[in-house]
Amino acid sequence: MSYFPIFIDMTDRQVLVVGAGSVASRRVGVLEKFGAAITVIAPNTSEEIRKLADSRKICLIEQTYEEVRDTIWQEKSFFMALAATGQTGTDARIKEDASSHSVWFNMASDKSQSEFYFPAIAQGRELTAGLISGGADPGLTHRVAKEVRRVLAEAE
């Protein structure tokens, strides 16, 4: 399958992230830098997510998805939803809910369930690159992104 690269202004776009482990923390960190309005739902959070919530850069709901599922979709109109709980049943429910609300969806644990990939980001002052391998070789993606970051840093 071939994926079309697209760049979207994320300023103030509502993003739902369910889960607060290492993958969710990395994705929240990137999305926050691009100006997204992020709501994280997780009963236990990483230190990175806690710091963002404490500084009011994100909205943190410290409950399970099941506890807030019925109300969260009524309260906010999401553009994108990321499932990063690592719990198959919960991630599947998030996918169903996102689909029923016509929201772009990504499941961290199963690329085949995702409508888009979350790319490796390499950013300079005036350039931004997003890199994916379609899940085929994450190590290659990481190495290439690191090299692109080096080139961008040298160009500044």
Side-chain angles (χ1 to χ4, degrees), residues 9-52:
D9 180 2
M10 291 300 293
T11 306
D12 296 326
R13 292 209 189 241
Q14 294 290 325
V15 177
L16 174 64
V17 178
V18 184
S22 61
V23 173
S25 295
R26 283 194 310 274
R27 292 181 180 185
V28 166
V30 170
L31 287 165
E32 188 273 328
K33 288 178 185 173
F34 283 89
I38 305 163
T39 298
V40 175
I41 298 172
N44 303 302
T45 64
S46 68
E47 185 176 327
E48 296 88 358
I49 288 179
R50 168 70 52 211
K51 285 180 184 176
L52 289 170

Side-chain angles (χ1 to χ4, degrees), residues 22-130:
S22 61
V23 173
S25 295
R26 283 194 310 274
R27 292 181 180 185
V28 166
V30 170
L31 287 165
E32 188 273 328
K33 288 178 185 173
F34 283 89
I38 305 163
T39 298
V40 175
I41 298 172
N44 303 302
T45 64
S46 68
E47 185 176 327
E48 296 88 358
I49 288 179
R50 168 70 52 211
K51 285 180 184 176
L52 289 170
D54 288 347
S55 64
R56 301 195 190 304
K57 292 184 178 181
I58 65 168
C59 172
L60 175 61
I61 300 170
E62 294 184 271
Q63 295 177 283
T64 67
Y65 181 70
E66 289 76 11
E67 290 172 318
V68 297
R69 179 182 182 204
D70 293 333
T71 58
I72 194 67
W73 292 98
Q74 294 170 1
E75 292 175 359
K76 295 189 180 186
S77 179
F78 294 105
F79 172 74
M80 181 183 293
L82 308 175
T85 69
Q87 299 170 349
T88 306
T90 300
D91 287 351
R93 280 187 292 285
I94 299 162
K95 179 182 179 183
E96 290 170 12
D97 293 342
S99 178
S100 71
H101 288 86
S102 300
V103 171
W104 286 24
F105 176 77
N106 175 273
M107 186 182 295
S109 63
D110 187 351
K111 69 177 184 153
S112 71
Q113 299 297 311
S114 299
E115 296 174 314
F116 70 94
Y117 285 113
F118 204 91
I121 303 289
Q123 192 172 29
R125 188 174 18 167
E126 297 184 23
L127 293 173
T128 300

